[in-house]
Amino acid sequence: MTDTQKQIAGYIAGGCKDGGSLGVELEHFIVRKDGSQVSYYDGISELLRRLSETYTEKGYSGKELIALYNDEASITIEPAGQLEISIVPCSEIAEIDRIYNNFLETIKPHLDELGFNLVTLGYTPRSKAADMRLIPKARYDYMDKYFRTSGRYGRNMMRATASTQISVDFSDEADCVRKMRLANLLTPVIYLITDNAPYFEGKPYDGRMLRSKIWADVDKDRCGTVPRLFKDDFGFASYAEYITQAPAILISGENGPVYTGSEKIEHIYSGKNLTDGEIEHILSMFFPDVRLKRYIEIRPADSMPREYVM
């Protein structure tokens, strides 16, 4: 195991904890009355500005407001303006439901005033991916550039999909591996029972599990099932090896993100002592069905209405 891999594996191991909690991230489309998707530039930025009055902290990309935070949740914007709420880890589903309901009650008056609707679907209902502008964030510009050559559906994934993601804790390495394997075995079932994408590129979609087809052709190096997951010796080190043998796409530089294209992570960070922030960024640039950080993130479910999420 290389030094870079040891550092990443050690960081993941730092997530081991007794007990357990659930985290939820739910993405939404903001649409007009005709179902067309609202972009950051023609409505999302104004919606965030209005919401900011009820959140204690704000996040910016340059001068542009792109995130809001409080003690219970964060509001962030996905590549083409999809609005995501990330709810803090909770021990009870009822607490998750309370926090999400508070968010809905807070945002509804602003949506009504702006003439927008909040939609939970796996794919945007009326707009086409090619027509959607990316938000002002260099990370997404670089990912968009890279995914144009890594697969067929990178543009569709970034601009026109929305998901429900569930995070679970693990107590030790064996518990982590057991839960990752179980979640991966359930992945086709999760895609099926949460299938909520009746539209594709502005037209009715007659197929099934659209998001699964899109993710299967975005980037084979960082999507799908983690390699060697079902080998007897799989563990934190195996996941770290999977990470470091893939291209970085971009890294954090002194003046912002730096595009690195197909250069492998192991080569970029060789001989360097990684900060927690750098490792968090590296791990965030991978999108398997079940992702490992300091918790396990189960990612296949489509965005769904509140009652189905709970």
Side-chain angles (χ1 to χ4, degrees):
M1 187 164 52
T2 68
D3 187 57
T4 303
Q5 292 166 7
K6 288 178 182 177
Q7 292 180 72
I8 294 174
Y11 173 86
I12 294 171
C16 296
K17 59 175 66 71
D18 294 328
S21 58
L22 289 171
V24 174
E25 298 179 4
L26 180 59
E27 298 170 349
H28 313 72
F29 297 108
I30 308 297
V31 303
R32 300 176 185 85
K33 299 304 181 183
D34 65 358
S36 61
Q37 188 171 326
V38 179
S39 77
Y40 179 85
Y41 303 92
D42 58 12
I44 303 298
S45 60
E46 174 60 17
L47 178 61
L48 285 179
R49 187 192 66 77
R50 296 184 182 208
L51 282 173
S52 67
E53 298 174 2
T54 55
Y55 284 81
T56 54
E57 298 181 49
K58 304 173 183 63
Y60 293 87
S61 177
K63 296 182 179 180
E64 301 291 347
L65 178 65
I66 60 169
L68 303 169
Y69 309 92
N70 62 24
D71 292 338
E72 295 187 330
S74 61
I75 305 298
T76 54
I77 305 300
E78 293 298 293
Q82 304 97 313
L83 188 147
E84 177 182 273
I85 179 172
S86 301
I87 297 173
V88 297
C90 298
S91 59
E92 300 290 340
I93 293 175
E95 183 68 0
I96 294 172
D97 193 35
R98 181 192 65 78
I99 294 170
Y100 184 55
N101 189 54
N102 286 345
F103 159 74
L104 293 178
E105 290 179 350
T106 300
I107 197 173
K108 187 178 187 307
H110 301 299
L111 293 169
D112 291 343
E113 291 173 6
L114 292 167
F116 299 155
N117 290 323
L118 190 72
V119 173
T120 47
L121 288 170
Y123 201 88
T124 193
R126 291 290 181 266
S127 299
K128 295 183 178 181
D131 296 333
M132 299 305 301
R133 294 176 63 188
L134 296 176
I135 72 170
K137 192 173 183 179
R139 168 188 171 110
Y140 293 147
D141 290 331
Y142 293 148
M143 289 171 64
D144 188 49
K145 176 181 178 180
Y146 185 84
F147 288 148
R148 286 172 186 258
T149 61
S150 66
R152 182 181 178 186
Y153 289 123
R155 172 175 287 189
N156 302 80
M157 179 276 290
M158 290 184 67
R159 292 168 169 80
T161 63
S163 67
T164 303
Q165 300 169 20
I166 307 297
S167 298
V168 298
D169 290 330
F170 50 85
S171 59
D172 55 31
E173 188 170 28
D175 184 51
C176 176
V177 172
R178 180 176 64 87
K179 288 174 176 173
M180 286 190 69
R181 287 173 175 166
L182 179 57
N184 269 275
L185 289 170
L186 289 172
T187 286
V189 179
I190 296 170
Y191 270 127
L192 177 63
I193 67 175
T194 70
D195 184 6
N196 191 31
Y199 306 102
F200 180 64
E201 294 297 271
K203 298 179 180 179
Y205 180 67
D206 295 330
R208 297 291 182 267
M209 299 183 290
L210 175 62
R211 279 184 60 257
S212 72
K213 296 178 174 64
I214 289 172
W215 275 111
D217 202 352
V218 170
D219 182 0
K220 62 180 178 59
D221 289 326
R222 67 193 70 241
C223 302
T225 300
V226 175
R228 300 182 59 236
L229 175 61
F230 291 91
K231 298 292 185 181
D232 290 342
D233 62 348
F234 183 84
F236 297 154
S238 308
Y239 195 86
E241 181 180 358
Y242 154 66
I243 294 292
T244 58
Q245 295 307 306
I249 301 181
L250 63 107
I251 61 173
S252 298
E254 292 183 3
N255 299 313
V258 177
Y259 185 70
T260 56
S262 59
E263 189 174 4
K264 300 290 182 65
I265 288 171
E266 183 62 62
H267 180 262
I268 292 171
Y269 291 102
S270 178
K272 183 175 182 180
N273 291 323
L274 298 173
T275 65
D276 283 355
E278 286 174 322
I279 295 175
E280 289 166 6
H281 163 74
I282 291 168
L283 295 175
S284 77
M285 291 298 296
F286 286 76
F287 312 100
D289 293 325
V290 181
R291 179 161 68 178
L292 182 56
K293 296 181 179 178
R294 280 184 163 169
Y295 48 84
I296 299 166
E297 190 177 80
I298 304 169
R299 301 169 48 81
D302 280 8
S303 178
M304 300 172 287
R306 170 187 170 189
E307 61 269 30
Y308 296 105
V309 173
M310 300 309 147

